[in-house]
Amino acid sequence: MSRNESHRARLPLRRTHRYALTALVGGALALTPLLAAAQTSGESAPASLAGQKPPAQKPPTKQQWKLLHSENFAGKLDPGKAPWVREAYDNPFDTVMDDNGKWFHNDYGDAWDEQLNSFATYRKEFPVGEDGWLTASLSARDWNKDGTIEKPPSITNGTAGTSTVARLDVPDHTGGAIFRPTEALPDQYRIEYKLKTLDFGGKRNGTIDYDNRVNGYSKDGCKTQHPWGEGSRSPGWEGDASAPYCEWQDVRAGKYGYNGFHYLSIVDFADPAPRNNHFWHYRRKVLMDSFAQHPDRVGTGTGGRVCNAKTNEYYDYKDSSFNTVNMWISGLPNWAPGQGGLAGNSQWFMTSCSNGVAEQQLSSAAELQPELMPNEDYTFAIERDATGYTLEASGNFARAGQQTLRFHRDFIVNNNPIWHYNVKPGEYDGRYNNTLVQGKDLHGKSEWPDQWPKDSAYPDSFVIGDLYTNVYEGSASLTDIKLFVPKPGKK
């Protein structure tokens, strides 16, 4: 029995060469058929004129905050005291697409079980900060199951410019490294931090090929999504789980070539730890992330669009440095994806070009300038108040210059909710409850009822870093993680 059996669901996957429509965005977004069908829809945003600031929406009353916790990493991080513990897959969060989820078996069959068992996963966690209010969580792969992790990720002390920082290093894309809160977040809060350096893909000096790496990945050997592929009917491979590691979907180039980083995400359960990327597509509420697509993935298309907040004009992603900032929310999922597909939520992006209105079209709100870091840094923050979530990003952005981008989104707009927004049962009446259905795939079918029932509650946890254990590779440094709560009697 999993830790969240009552809030799980199952989806359909099947093997054939009729490719299902999938598209990864903002840290590996999988665009479900539901999203694809309405991919340019929005929430009645006013049309903006090129070069003009769209009419401002009425913002919610600004909450006044008091500082509860702060961590600048001046104290020594000592992960060596915490052991690496082998993952036994005996306490999954859910049975959908957690690392040993039924979804994958139903699609791929016994061959997938053999692939999952061909390596060992190890995890490590240790407390950080005053009273251990933060937790550093890492995941690593032991390729030959000999008890030795070949390229372990790490979270250690460092300096960036004049700042003390925590340095996250993920030398292989099968590792993960994140910060999360040790306890669930309060009902209302503000979480923020400063990003001092970022090297998880994108261009440097106009090219993705730099420092003997490709889009942030080392050039050594093969790098694929194995064993958590995009689905047996997706492009980029033959869809056969018995295929050797190198024949799975390539993450360094091709249709699924991309790197990325979660600047700041809010997820719907306590104690998050790095897992396969597809699991997260069903577990996030709101987020800001990087999605550094390889040119092979962009192809002849645009790869999405980027907003210049100075002029309120979009430009093509392919004309950027690929170091963009996606600010977005997760909406309702496709409750019955097609055979060979994956479970995932609809995705709604906010930019100043849309007047902050969430739209179902891949749109980055800004473009970072990693070359300026660490002398200049970027601040990311998310707030939850009584009405909804606010996403905020500040810094010196390409083309737009110094900006503070701040977008509030109510929990429900035009009957489109933020997924699992309720942290208490009384905040939600059960209206969006449904069953997640994985119709008959080649190797099975499953259903997960009550995916958002009345009287449910989904505590907020934040995540900063590399969540994914089958894609993303690089390093980053950050400092000044702060948690605020409302000032008594202030709004």
Side-chain angles (χ1 to χ4, degrees):
M1 180 72 100
S2 78
R3 285 184 288 156
N4 195 36
E5 192 68 42
S6 64
H7 293 160
R8 283 172 283 206
R10 198 44 116 186
L11 297 175
L13 300 173
R14 161 160 265 177
R15 177 178 319 163
T16 122
H17 298 294
R18 292 172 50 209
Y19 295 140
L21 183 150
T22 53
L24 292 170
V25 153
L29 295 178
L31 294 182
T32 64
L34 177 68
L35 172 53
Q39 139 171 344
T40 60
S41 68
E43 297 168 340
S44 55
S48 59
L49 300 176
Q52 286 188 333
K53 190 78 171 176
Q57 292 181 329
K58 183 179 180 181
T61 302
K62 192 167 184 179
Q63 176 70 63
Q64 298 297 307
W65 304 103
K66 70 173 183 177
L67 182 65
L68 183 64
H69 292 296
S70 180
E71 178 56 39
N72 65 3
F73 304 103
K76 183 171 177 56
L77 295 171
D78 191 6
K81 293 180 179 178
W84 285 100
V85 178
R86 184 167 176 173
E87 172 65 79
Y89 301 118
D90 55 357
N91 190 27
F93 174 73
D94 68 22
T95 58
V96 188
M97 290 192 299
D98 206 343
D99 286 355
N100 63 340
K102 291 180 182 177
W103 193 280
F104 301 108
H105 176 87
N106 286 349
D107 189 21
Y108 300 124
D110 293 343
W112 182 81
D113 299 330
E114 294 176 6
Q115 296 285 8
L116 179 65
N117 292 325
S118 69
F119 60 89
T121 294
Y122 281 80
R123 301 192 185 281
K124 174 190 285 195
E125 293 192 334
F126 56 91
V128 177
E130 177 189 13
D131 299 324
W133 75 279
L134 289 171
T135 292
S137 181
L138 301 108
S139 178
R141 187 176 297 189
D142 172 10
W143 288 87
N144 57 10
K145 303 171 72 171
D146 66 353
T148 299
I149 300 168
E150 287 80 7
K151 293 183 178 180
S154 61
I155 298 179
T156 56
N157 293 97
T159 58
T162 60
S163 300
T164 59
V165 298
R167 179 177 172 85
L168 285 66
D169 276 303
V170 184
D172 186 84
H173 74 291
T174 59
I178 65 171
F179 280 110
R180 65 168 174 85
T182 302
E183 304 291 338
L185 294 169
D187 297 350
Q188 298 186 42
Y189 60 83
R190 174 182 168 93
I191 182 72
E192 69 174 46
Y193 79 98
K194 292 179 180 178
L195 183 67
K196 299 297 294 185
T197 62
L198 180 69
D199 196 355
F200 274 86
K203 296 177 182 177
R204 301 296 184 275
N205 299 314
T207 178
I208 62 167
D209 193 337
Y210 61 92
D211 293 343
N212 198 33
R213 291 177 293 158
V214 177
N215 200 26
Y217 292 102
S218 75
K219 296 182 178 180
D220 298 336
C222 307
K223 291 186 179 294
T224 73
Q225 284 200 29
H226 170 277
W228 299 289
E230 295 287 339
S232 59
R233 297 179 65 186
S234 57
W237 72 315
E238 293 300 312
D240 181 358
S242 67
Y245 170 83
C246 289
E247 294 180 13
W248 289 60
Q249 284 150 324
D250 192 353
V251 303
R252 195 166 43 194
K255 294 285 187 182
Y256 288 93
Y258 59 87
N259 208 336
F261 186 81
H262 277 66
Y263 301 123
L264 187 58
S265 299
I266 302 298
V267 300
D268 66 357
F269 65 104
D271 305 328
R275 289 172 165 87
N276 77 83
N277 64 327
H278 306 302
F279 167 84
W280 294 106
H281 291 145
Y282 197 61
R283 297 268 65 101
R284 299 174 296 199
K285 301 187 183 189
V286 300
L287 63 153
M288 294 180 284
D289 70 349
S290 162
F291 186 50
Q293 301 176 66
H294 189 279
D296 287 350
R297 180 180 176 81
V298 176
T300 57
T302 69
R305 57 188 187 177
V306 186
C307 178
N308 181 339
K310 186 176 182 178
T311 64
N312 289 311
E313 294 178 302
Y314 286 112
Y315 57 97
D316 288 346
Y317 175 90
K318 65 181 176 61
D319 296 327
S320 75
S321 69
F322 305 167
N323 296 291
T324 65
V325 179
N326 300 308
M327 304 175 72
W328 52 288
I329 66 167
S330 290
L332 290 173
N334 179 351
W335 296 110
Q339 293 179 339
L342 292 169
N345 294 82
S346 57
Q347 300 157 356
W348 303 71
F349 298 86
M350 298 178 291
T351 72
S352 60
C353 293
S354 71
N355 193 34
V357 173
E359 297 182 320
Q360 289 184 283
Q361 182 171 351
L362 174 53
S363 306
S364 296
E367 181 182 343
L368 296 188
Q369 300 186 81
E371 295 85 353
L372 302 181
M373 305 167 81
N375 295 324
E376 297 193 43
D377 52 40
Y378 295 88
T379 298
F380 294 94
I382 292 179
E383 299 171 8
R384 187 185 194 274
D385 62 22
T387 63
Y389 291 90
T390 299
L391 279 61
E392 181 180 298
S394 300
N396 186 352
F397 298 108
R399 306 192 188 204
Q402 192 69 36
Q403 299 281 341
T404 294
L405 306 173
R406 183 177 168 85
F407 308 120
H408 176 88
R409 209 285 192 168
D410 286 349
F411 295 132
I412 302 174
V413 176
N414 295 338
N415 204 34
N416 295 308
I418 294 176
W419 178 243
H420 286 176
Y421 66 82
N422 54 308
V423 299
K424 297 184 296 187
E427 294 179 323
Y428 167 69
D429 59 11
R431 73 181 73 177
Y432 300 110
N433 191 29
N434 211 329
T435 296
L436 182 62
V437 178
Q438 185 176 14
K440 184 162 176 30
D441 261 331
L442 191 60
H443 299 281
K445 62 181 179 180
S446 297
E447 293 187 3
W448 293 267
D450 291 329
Q451 289 301 290
W452 199 353
K454 184 179 180 181
D455 298 325
S456 62
Y458 302 89
D460 279 11
S461 290
F462 68 79
V463 175
I464 303 168
D466 175 5
L467 304 180
Y468 300 161
T469 54
N470 59 330
V471 68
Y472 290 4
E473 180 177 310
S475 64
S477 63
L478 56 93
T479 193
D480 295 340
I481 303 180
K482 297 179 180 180
L483 176 61
F484 298 84
V485 294
K487 285 185 178 180
K490 300 283 187 179
K491 287 187 177 180

